[in-house]
Amino acid sequence: MIQVIAIFALGINHKTAPVALREQVAFAPEQVSQALRELTTATSISDAVILSTCNRTELYFNGSASQAEQVIVWLAQFHAVDGSELQQHLYLHQDNAAAEHLMQVASGLDSLVLGEPQILGQVKQAYNQARNAGTVNPQFERLFQKTFAVAKQVRTDTEIGANAVSVAFAAVSLAKQIFGNLSKVRVLLIGAGETIELVAKHLQEQGAGALVVANRTYERAVLLAEQFDAAAITLAQVPAKLAEADIVISSTASTLPIVGKGMVEQALKRRKHKPMFLVDLAVPRDIEQQVAELEDAYLYTVDDLQTIVEQNLSNRQQAADQARLMIRAGVAEFAQWLTLQGSVDWVRDYRQRCEDIRAELLAKAVNQLSAGQDAEKVLAEMSTKLSNRLMHSPTKAIRQLGQDDELNKQTMINTLLDL
């Protein structure tokens, strides 16, 4: 049987390296194709895929242990970083462990946010870039197709991505549960920081169209609003605009409440007591606690949402356990396929040797018959020599299995008899 080339997964991620180092070894999308060509030329590996996101840089490749060392050197040189420092933060998985790591990454089990769905698309993009660069051959073709199938099964058959695990996502999910279709709902976002930006992104993904961004600094409100085709106002305009909002989500750095009970009470009167859903993601609070006392105001704080997030994280952990079983099965199927590839070459070589022996002995027998030798003796001699030569190598292999390994010996005998 031929020796199958080892598969490696080499990289750094949010668990092993600080962001400063991750930034240094990240590949820009326009770099990847050239980097793959340089990598395969420098190390003589044939299969290579580069996955580079904000939280990880990983190289999947085949080769020997010495080539794996060459890849590490190449990575440090390509990004002009100190090799010894890089080594301290790298991980290197081989064969089944490499395949398992790839499947965990694609399924969202190795992400900063457990179960996040974007990573599968990023893995597919990395694979397509490698295919276009000519660095994906049959072995990696099979590995990545199996990975995509497993990741799809994880998404379909588990709840890994079904529950909100950030307060921003939880706020939007809760709004969607209350209002259903968000396309006709009017939303007021107070603040222009990272949290509100993430809320706006989730709202847009859920189909919300009418967004207004309010911020103390009007210019920052405009910058954020432009990203989501929203309107921008100042905090001073909030009392006048509040009655138009079905949903209010606030997250600022203010030390004092921005939205008071009286302000909401007046807005509800102008709305003719049509319900208003308010989410306060700020600490200290942006919305006075007494707002919850109003009959048509439904106020949720960051603590309320954190309880939801913690429960959802627990649900995702249970889904992750199911996903790991699916991944182990996928790894086993891929490993079996690799073994069969070696067996196919082994069987082909064995059959060819048998054919060569048969042709050689047949030619000798024909010559003997042409020379007038007794046909019965010629055939007997040929059959004896044929069986002896065909049995020599398999018999030697069976003996090497050892006296105690009867099951493996019988398996090999049955396999050879079926050839």
Side-chain angles (χ1 to χ4, degrees):
M1 185 183 295
I2 64 169
Q3 183 178 3
V4 178
I5 297 173
I7 296 171
F8 293 95
L10 169 74
I12 65 171
N13 62 19
H14 57 282
K15 299 176 184 176
T16 68
V19 65
L21 182 58
R22 298 203 306 272
E23 289 174 341
Q24 291 182 63
V25 297
F27 291 86
E30 61 272 14
Q31 285 183 301
V32 172
S33 295
Q34 182 61 32
L36 285 166
R37 286 189 284 269
E38 291 183 19
L39 171 61
T40 53
T41 300
T43 61
S44 298
I45 58 178
S46 59
D47 289 68
V49 174
I50 294 174
L51 173 64
S52 188
T53 73
C54 58
N55 285 325
R56 71 182 65 248
T57 291
E58 294 182 338
L59 284 72
Y60 296 89
F61 58 93
N62 60 13
S64 62
S66 61
Q67 285 175 308
E69 292 297 325
Q70 293 172 27
V71 172
I72 295 173
V73 172
W74 174 86
L75 180 62
Q77 292 177 344
F78 185 90
H79 290 290
V81 299
D82 181 76
S84 59
E85 181 187 0
L86 182 61
Q87 284 265 21
Q88 297 174 31
H89 299 277
L90 287 173
Y91 46 84
L92 181 66
H93 304 296
Q94 182 175 336
D95 294 329
N96 284 3
E100 183 173 1
H101 179 76
L102 173 59
M103 292 180 192
Q104 287 182 339
V105 168
S107 300
L109 269 64
D110 196 57
S111 296
L112 182 61
V113 177
L114 180 65
E116 60 98 358
Q118 289 83 5
I119 187 64
L120 177 56
Q122 292 167 331
V123 174
K124 287 183 176 179
Q125 182 181 8
Y127 160 78
N128 286 326
Q129 285 180 303
R131 280 197 70 187
N132 293 335
T135 60
V136 173
N137 291 294
Q139 188 184 71
F140 266 35
E141 178 76 31
R142 183 77 177 199
L143 171 61
F144 277 82
Q145 291 303 328
K146 173 56 68 175
T147 295
F148 300 148
V150 168
K152 181 180 179 181
Q153 183 187 10
V154 168
R155 288 282 160 194
T156 303
D157 296 347
T158 76
E159 297 293 313
I160 191 71
N163 303 299
V165 289
S166 73
V167 289
F169 191 23
V172 176
S173 298
L174 195 55
K176 187 170 176 59
Q177 288 178 31
I178 293 171
F179 290 94
N181 188 348
L182 296 182
S183 62
K184 296 181 180 180
V185 174
R186 294 169 296 182
V187 183
L188 172 62
L189 301 176
I190 303 176
E194 291 182 6
T195 300
I196 289 297
E197 182 177 355
L198 189 57
V199 168
K201 180 181 177 183
H202 291 316
L203 283 167
Q204 190 177 65
E205 290 171 350
Q206 295 299 325
L211 303 183
V212 176
V213 178
N215 193 58
R216 191 177 306 279
T217 306
Y218 179 69
E219 289 75 17
R220 289 193 62 185
V222 171
L223 287 174
L224 181 60
E226 286 176 345
Q227 296 181 44
F228 302 99
D229 194 25
I233 62 174
T234 65
L235 290 186
Q237 295 174 278
V238 168
K241 293 289 186 180
L242 190 59
E244 300 174 10
D246 302 303
I247 299 172
V248 179
I249 302 177
S250 185
S251 178
T252 74
S254 175
T255 56
L256 296 173
I258 294 171
V259 178
K261 180 181 178 182
M263 187 190 302
V264 176
E265 195 169 19
Q266 290 299 316
L268 288 171
K269 286 180 181 179
R270 297 204 304 273
R271 288 171 61 82
K272 297 181 179 178
H273 295 278
K274 183 181 177 183
M276 182 185 294
F277 173 64
L278 303 100
V279 181
D280 189 352
L281 300 180
V283 178
R285 298 180 185 184
D286 282 340
I287 303 174
E288 284 185 349
Q289 184 178 358
Q290 290 77 12
V291 168
E293 299 171 3
L294 298 173
E295 186 175 348
D296 299 305
Y298 299 88
L299 174 63
Y300 289 81
T301 67
V302 68
D303 288 343
D304 298 324
L305 296 180
Q306 193 60 48
T307 301
I308 297 172
V309 167
E310 288 172 2
Q311 180 59 50
N312 289 345
L313 273 173
S314 176
N315 293 339
R316 283 202 179 190
Q317 288 290 354
Q318 294 177 23
D321 292 339
Q322 293 177 275
R324 290 186 183 95
L325 294 176
M326 296 174 184
I327 288 170
R328 291 191 195 106
V331 171
E333 290 171 8
F334 176 69
Q336 184 181 35
W337 177 84
L338 278 181
T339 301
L340 288 174
Q341 299 317 293
S343 299
V344 166
D345 291 331
W346 190 88
V347 171
R348 186 186 301 115
D349 291 344
Y350 179 72
R351 286 184 178 277
Q352 185 58 53
R353 287 199 298 272
C354 291
E355 177 59 27
D356 293 342
I357 293 170
R358 185 198 67 80
E360 175 192 338
L361 295 179
L362 177 60
K364 183 177 180 180
V366 169
N367 289 337
Q368 289 174 327
L369 291 172
S370 299
Q373 294 186 27
D374 182 72
E376 187 175 344
K377 289 183 179 181
V378 170
L379 291 175
E381 179 185 356
M382 184 186 77
S383 64
T384 300
K385 288 184 177 180
L386 180 63
S387 61
N388 285 340
R389 291 182 64 177
L390 291 180
M391 287 190 298
H392 174 71
S393 294
T395 301
K396 182 179 179 181
I398 291 171
R399 285 173 179 163
Q400 289 175 347
L401 290 174
Q403 296 298 320
D404 298 329
D405 203 351
E406 292 297 330
L407 179 60
N408 282 344
K409 284 198 296 183
Q410 190 59 49
T411 299
M412 178 173 278
I413 291 169
N414 293 338
T415 301
L416 293 170
L417 289 176
D418 288 338
L419 290 175

